[in-house]
Structure formats: C-alpha cells, structure tokens
Amino acid sequence: MKVSETHILIVPGYTNSGPNHWQTRWERKLSTARRVEQAEWSKPVREDWVARMIEEVNAAEKPVVIVAHSLGVATAIHALPHCTQPIAGAFLVAPPDVANPKIRPKHLMTFGPYPRDPLPFPSLMVASRNDSFGSYEHAGDIANAWGSLLVDAGDAGHINTESGHGPWPEGSMVFAQFLSLLRATGQKDRWYLLSF
C-alpha cells in the first residue's frame, strides 16, 4: 500500500509522544497520518482512551494502518472489537506488560490484561531486549497470540526519545517495508520482513 491509500493512525502511549519522538516525526512526514489525541495524557483512563481510538478509526475514510507505541498498543488492541472501518495492518512498538504488578505508574495496569485473540489483519511488533516497561519474552508471548511478526530491536530501551530513538531511521525503514506489503483489504498472506 502507498501512504496516500491509507489513514495512518498514530497512537501514542502514556504522557504522549513529544516533539522529538519518532511518532511525532513520522506524523509530520506522512501526509495521511493523524494522532489519536487524548484529553488526559498523564492520567490515562482505559475507557476514555479506547473510546477516542474507536472514534478515530470509525471516522476514517481509507483503510487504517495503526502505528502504536507503548500504552498506545494496549489502547489499540482493546479498541479493535468496536472498530467498524477496515484496518489494513498494525505496527506495534514496545508493548508494556500491563499485567505486571511492578509496572509504574501503577494505574497503567488498568489497561491489562491484553486480549489474546489473533488479529484479523497483518501486524508487526518491534520489541527491545531491555525495555523497563515489558520484557522481550512478554512481547514474544503476545506477538505469538496475536499472530504478529516479532522484530528484535536489540538493547533499545523503551524505543522512545529517552532511549535515543527520536529519528529512528531503522524503524522507518521497517515500517516502509511493512506498508509496502499490505493490501487494502488487510488480508493475511504469507509475508516476510527484514529485521534491524
């Protein structure tokens, strides 16, 4: 798929993605990208965040490609059963372990547990080996449940500005390849991607 054929939905996590975060940079660069804006970024309420996500997906006039980071992954996954517009694919980055009682701030646990039903469209998950919000093993477990292709980002922290991932050119290349392999129908075919 081409960018012009999609509605790219940027779904940030807890406290939003700042001006130098890769999500913000992609939003500025991709002509059809829109951010799911939340009323309260620092005190996320699952029902409110999910409702906003559903609203954005259902207002789309083209097939949606989700680009979610951190708590945005949980938001997107919980919203999916209520979305009526076609979703062509999802690019999921650094999913937090929202069922882990050690996660901070603790109210992020209200977004757990993740549903484990397979996703009905192609999806790719990028996970780090040293993410303080969720282990690589946890990411692998949910990627397996969802039928997502898991891409190992190595020791990349939480894949955000703080871990040095402002521009994130490697992520941009993998996303471009992912997008090029999608079809407007979101049909799941056999497909392969290069990793980092």
Side-chain angles (χ1 to χ4, degrees), residues 87-129:
I87 296 173
F91 189 82
L92 310 170
V93 181
D97 185 353
V98 288
N100 184 345
K102 295 179 181 174
I103 197 169
R104 295 292 180 270
K106 224 164 174 42
H107 62 265
L108 300 187
M109 283 186 69
T110 62
F111 282 73
Y114 287 109
R116 297 185 61 84
D117 299 327
L119 301 182
F121 45 75
S123 58
L124 182 147
M125 182 185 296
V126 181
S128 166
R129 293 275 177 179

Side-chain angles (χ1 to χ4, degrees), residues 135-151:
S135 70
Y136 186 77
E137 291 70 28
H138 168 261
D141 178 56
I142 57 174
N144 187 53
W146 296 341
S148 302
L149 177 66
L150 181 64
V151 176

Side-chain angles (χ1 to χ4, degrees), residues 10-24 35 41 69:
I10 306 288
V11 191
Y14 174 62
T15 71
N16 200 357
S17 295
N20 295 316
H21 193 286
W22 60 268
Q23 279 190 312
T24 304
R35 179 179 303 239
W41 288 107
H69 177 257

